Amino acid sequence: QVQLVESGGGLVQPGGSLRLSCAASGRTISSYRIGWFRQAPGKEREFVAAITWSSGNTYYVDSVKGRFTISRDRAKNTMYLQMSSLKPEDTAVYYCAAQSLVIGTRTTSSWDYDYWGQGTQVTVSS
């Protein structure tokens, strides 16, 4: 079992920056991939970014490439999503999730993630 807790959400103006954190506890996450998803009201949950814990390999949805950076602090079991050049379209509840590294699991599919945090609200507005 893995517990995930997001933090760092808030209100920011367009063009601003925000850093989200996801702290993990419980079972070691060294063999997991940690992802960020977001969901706006009335819309489906969508993949944002992910990082493979052991290798550091990263993945991003096209809409955030060049603006968002995912990273992890292995000593603290914490993953970060640094967001810059934020747009109103980025407004959503952001969730972190953990995925076991099993052959056939899909990096960008929420259905293939096993553990989820409670979410943190990000609002981009002037």
Side-chain angles (χ1 to χ4, degrees), residues 61-80:
V61 69
D62 287 344
S63 61
V64 308
K65 288 181 178 178
R67 300 191 298 121
F68 291 10
T69 301
I70 191 170
S71 63
R72 90 283 203 217
D73 186 327
R74 298 170 68 180
K76 297 181 178 180
N77 279 346
T78 299
M79 183 262 288
Y80 304 97

Side-chain angles (χ1 to χ4, degrees), residues 4-37:
L4 303 171
V5 179
E6 305 97 332
S7 62
L11 175 65
V12 64
Q13 293 184 337
S17 299
L18 205 62
R19 189 179 76 163
L20 305 182
S21 300
C22 177
S25 62
R27 180 182 296 178
T28 179
I29 59 174
S30 61
S31 61
Y32 286 75
R33 178 178 294 112
I34 311 298
W36 282 101
F37 292 79

Side-chain angles (χ1 to χ4, degrees), residues 14 17 21 23-24 33 37 54 58-59 64 67 79 95 101-102 105 122:
S17 299
S21 300
R33 178 178 294 112
F37 292 79
S54 59
T58 59
Y59 313 84
V64 308
R67 300 191 298 121
M79 183 262 288
Y95 300 88
L101 294 179
V102 177
T105 55
V122 172

Side-chain angles (χ1 to χ4, degrees), residues 33-40 43-52 57-65 67-70 79 81 83 89-90 92-99 105-113 116:
R33 178 178 294 112
I34 311 298
W36 282 101
F37 292 79
R38 64 187 181 186
Q39 187 167 24
K43 298 182 179 180
E44 295 184 348
R45 188 168 299 183
E46 68 169 338
F47 171 80
V48 178
I51 185 168
T52 300
N57 290 341
T58 59
Y59 313 84
Y60 298 93
V61 69
D62 287 344
S63 61
V64 308
K65 288 181 178 178
R67 300 191 298 121
F68 291 10
T69 301
I70 191 170
M79 183 262 288
L81 184 67
M83 306 182 293
E89 305 91 88
D90 296 317
V93 176
Y94 283 69
Y95 300 88
C96 64
Q99 175 187 68
T105 55
R106 297 162 293 181
T107 302
T108 63
S109 174
S110 62
W111 296 105
D112 290 349
Y113 284 75
W116 293 83

